[in-house]
Amino acid sequence: MSLRRAVLAIAAKDLRIEWRHRTAFTSAIVFAVLVLVVFIFARDEGSVSLAALAPTVLWVMLALATVVTLNRAFLLEREHHALEGILLAPISPVALFWGKWLANLALVLVVELVAIPLWVLFFNITPDLRILGTGAVAILAAIGFTAPGTLFSAIAVRTRFAELLLPVLLLPFVIPPLFFAAQATVRLLEGAPVSDLIGWLRLLALYDIAFLALASILFPAVMDQ
Amino acid sequence: MSPASDAIDRVIRRGRAIMVAGLLGVAAVYVLSLGFTPPEASQGLAFKILYVHAPSAWAMETAFVMVGLTGALYLWLGDRRLDVFAEASATVGMVFGAILLLSGPIWGKTIWGAWWVWDPRLTFTLLLYLLFAGYFALRSALSDPVERARFGAVIGIMGTVLVPFIHLTVYLFRSQHPMPVLGRPPCPPDSPNCAPALPWVLLRPLLLSFVAFTTLYIGFVTTRYGIGLRRVEEESRDAG
Amino acid sequence: MTPLRPPVVEVRGLGRRFGHVRALRSVDLVIGEGEVLLLSGPNGAGKSTLLRLLAGLTRPDTGTVRVLERALHGNPQGRSAVGFLSHQTFLYDDLTARENLRFAATLHGIESAEREIARVLEAAGLLQAADTRAGVLSHGLQQRLAIARATLHAPALLLLDEPFSGLDALAADLLRRTIAAECARGRTVVCVTHQPAEIWEIATRIVVLDRGAVVFDAPRPPLLDDFTATYRGLIAA
């Protein structure tokens, strides 16, 4: 049983189930729009320009939306103890991590696909190539949020307070990628040259690789009973 | 009294002795810094809080790294005592963090007139404190001691790998301002550059303080480790 | 001297504790091919723990457990030899019966999955309901689907944890027939149950666990009533 097939089967199964009722996706979008609207309404129009606020809002929106989607992954395995059904199969637990992570990432990317154009619209951002740059940062950041997030949601779901514990555990881990992504976005929107950007993207990529690797290595220890 | 129980008592006694040594060291730092060290040029008396701050931050970071290391060893060897040590180290780390987060604003108010500033050490302390908080939140949400140990180890390892990223973030966050390095006093946010490196008379209380706080850390953790071991022993005795 | 076939299950000195509770203490058990073992005992005796150790879901604290000469914990490859059925169905409510089976088939790396799925759906009388979401099916149909899922990959060892609990007569009958069919194919079955009457005729051997230890292990006596008396005596001791 190849690792790749098992990973894709698990991710496909997750996405198919999510498609059937779309609760995680819908809550994430609603949350993102809520954040957008609150920031705009709460702004003091005289002293804070839309442009100054834009990067902040983008990243608050995406970070919170990600946390909202993460719990779905292992909660859905709880009914009928479906997780045991997977653990009984002749596949390595690491395949389960990668499958869940892939599904989480796909979901977050779809949310970003909806949320970012809304952000462009509400904050009067000129849609040019810089949007593509923002997209690249958004993908790297999504990886950075979902890697530890997938591991922690597997842990949190074993406790009574899963929905509360996941954000508490995840918070310190979200801050570095959030910071790198926000800095990159600020420079993007200012029209800074690509060379300014590369450093921040490299840091994001470093974070992503480090935590994807570590989370996948530690995951079997969490699945162990 | 069983031999195991005697060994635990020895651990606690040794821990207490080291703790006392550490406290004496801290007292010596106070005497040295308040009695035998002149006030620093730009910040006056308030500068002396560095002598408590920097070593506390160091002890806190060491505490967390130890949580990660013993966690990794636990996952490898399965010895429950490693988890007892991890919990002890985390408890002590959190205490140092609390001291820092309470005393930091006092310093900030005196130097910069604000109760909170995003100075690198405070920011770092806050983020590390969040890591500790998450660690304890997880442990208290789990009832099975084996799960507590295993998941605690996973969080500890993840957090330890995060620490360099936190350093990086804090460093870059304040990159417009010169960074405090050992021997250099921290700079207020509006000054364009820092004072030159510390002269020996200002440096020696700091070095003594590092030794004192490290001793204090070892003492606290050893004592707490012994107490933790005793608790585990009592639990298994009750369960029969 | 005819060469002996290796035992399907070999358990030596198996011990497992949860916190301060000793679920199993030094269990020795050898199960040969084609045996149908009825595992009985009072609540908390360690029966489910033993089953989970056999399935590789949990690791032993002491001793060894091998299925077809492989230790299953931490060793995914060997698990294709085991099928597990408990009162939890391992199903996804939002997937149809067929989709649930397809997922299981992919996880088990089954060749010609569609044919095997059609086979088990038919055997379970689920062809009509194949494209209905599992969450909508009645409890009895869900149990039948769970049976189908457990036997889809044709496991050499079938582990059943209280499979008859909560089953209606039709589903219980189907389960009995499925077990009998698996036995006819030479599979080995270990069934934990509080209702020995359900599979008394099919069982070949009875093992009783009490407080984590084996207290009775013998070929199945012909009459259930005789055994019930023996059992009461064992547990009271």
Side-chain angles (χ1 to χ4, degrees), chain A residues 4-16 77 86 91-101 103, chain C residues 92 103 106-107:
Chain A
R4 199 178 56 95
R5 273 188 78 197
V7 168
L8 292 175
I10 292 170
K13 181 260 303 171
D14 269 31
L15 291 172
R16 182 171 293 132
E77 303 290 343
I86 298 181
I91 62 169
S92 159
V94 172
L96 181 58
F97 171 78
W98 289 111
K100 287 290 175 184
W101 172 72
Chain C
Y92 295 100
F103 179 63
T106 312
L107 289 187

Side-chain angles (χ1 to χ4, degrees), chain B residues 25-44:
Chain B
V26 173
V29 169
Y30 270 93
V31 168
L32 186 60
S33 70
L34 293 173
F36 297 94
T37 308
E40 195 267 342
S42 54
Q43 295 165 41

Side-chain angles (χ1 to χ4, degrees), chain B:
Chain B
M1 284 283 237
S2 69
S5 191
D6 283 343
I8 294 176
D9 282 343
R10 267 203 303 276
V11 168
I12 296 181
R13 261 180 282 138
R14 206 176 299 148
R16 289 217 178 103
I18 301 176
M19 216 162 71
V20 168
L23 285 170
L24 286 174
V26 173
V29 169
Y30 270 93
V31 168
L32 186 60
S33 70
L34 293 173
F36 297 94
T37 308
E40 195 267 342
S42 54
Q43 295 165 41
L45 275 174
F47 168 79
K48 294 182 198 246
I49 207 159
L50 176 72
Y51 297 139
V52 173
H53 264 202
S56 296
W58 156 253
M60 191 187 186
E61 184 171 355
T62 308
F64 198 86
V65 171
M66 287 310 291
V67 172
L69 277 175
T70 45
L73 284 172
Y74 173 81
L75 287 181
W76 180 27
L77 298 169
D79 189 340
R80 177 124 184 240
R81 289 174 298 176
L82 286 164
D83 178 60
V84 177
F85 186 89
E87 191 191 8
S89 190
T91 310
V92 174
M94 224 174 165
V95 166
F96 279 117
I99 295 174
L100 270 166
L101 290 175
L102 289 173
S103 62
I106 299 175
W107 181 48
K109 184 76 176 139
T110 321
I111 300 278
W112 299 321
W115 284 109
W116 182 267
V117 278
W118 290 101
D119 114 288
R121 198 159 28 248
L122 268 178
T123 312
F124 179 81
T125 303
L126 180 65
L127 292 178
L128 212 56
Y129 196 80
L130 289 176
L131 268 179
F132 279 119
Y135 179 80
F136 279 112
L138 177 63
R139 287 189 77 105
S140 57
L142 293 166
S143 43
D144 177 19
V146 176
E147 265 190 352
R148 218 181 288 148
R150 195 150 18 93
F151 293 171
V154 168
I155 299 287
I157 296 169
M158 290 283 281
T160 303
V161 173
L162 187 69
V163 167
F165 283 99
I166 296 181
H167 272 299
L168 199 57
T169 305
V170 169
Y171 173 80
L172 293 170
F173 183 53
R174 299 302 293 173
S175 61
Q176 301 98 306
H177 306 274
M179 291 304 297
V181 172
L182 184 60
R184 217 182 289 250
C187 306
D190 45 44
S191 82
N193 50 34
C194 255
L198 280 179
W200 170 246
V201 67
L202 288 182
L203 189 59
R204 59 182 184 184
L206 190 61
L207 294 177
L208 175 64
S209 193
F210 268 106
V211 172
F213 270 83
T214 307
T215 313
L216 205 58
Y217 165 76
I218 296 173
F220 280 147
V221 170
T222 312
T223 312
R224 182 66 182 72
Y225 174 58
I227 294 172
L229 283 179
R230 191 185 277 162
R231 264 192 217 149
V232 169
E233 196 207 20
E234 278 166 8
E235 259 172 40
S236 54
R237 233 183 318 153
D238 289 341

Side-chain angles (χ1 to χ4, degrees), chain A residues 148 151-152 155 158-159 161 165 168-169 171-173 175-176 179-180 200 203 206-207 211 214 218 221-222 224, chain B residues 75 127 130-131 133-135 137-138 141-142 147 150-151 154-155 157-159 161-162 165-166 168-169 172-173:
Chain A
L151 179 66
F152 293 158
I155 292 178
R158 300 274 273 268
T159 70
F161 314 111
L165 201 58
V168 169
L169 290 175
L171 176 60
F173 290 85
I175 291 175
F179 174 68
F180 302 149
W200 297 105
L203 284 173
L206 178 64
Y207 183 91
F211 280 96
L214 189 60
L218 291 174
V222 174
D224 210 7
Chain B
L75 287 181
L127 292 178
L130 289 176
L131 268 179
Y135 179 80
L138 177 63
L142 293 166
E147 265 190 352
R150 195 150 18 93
F151 293 171
V154 168
I155 299 287
I157 296 169
M158 290 283 281
V161 173
L162 187 69
F165 283 99
I166 296 181
L168 199 57
T169 305
L172 293 170
F173 183 53

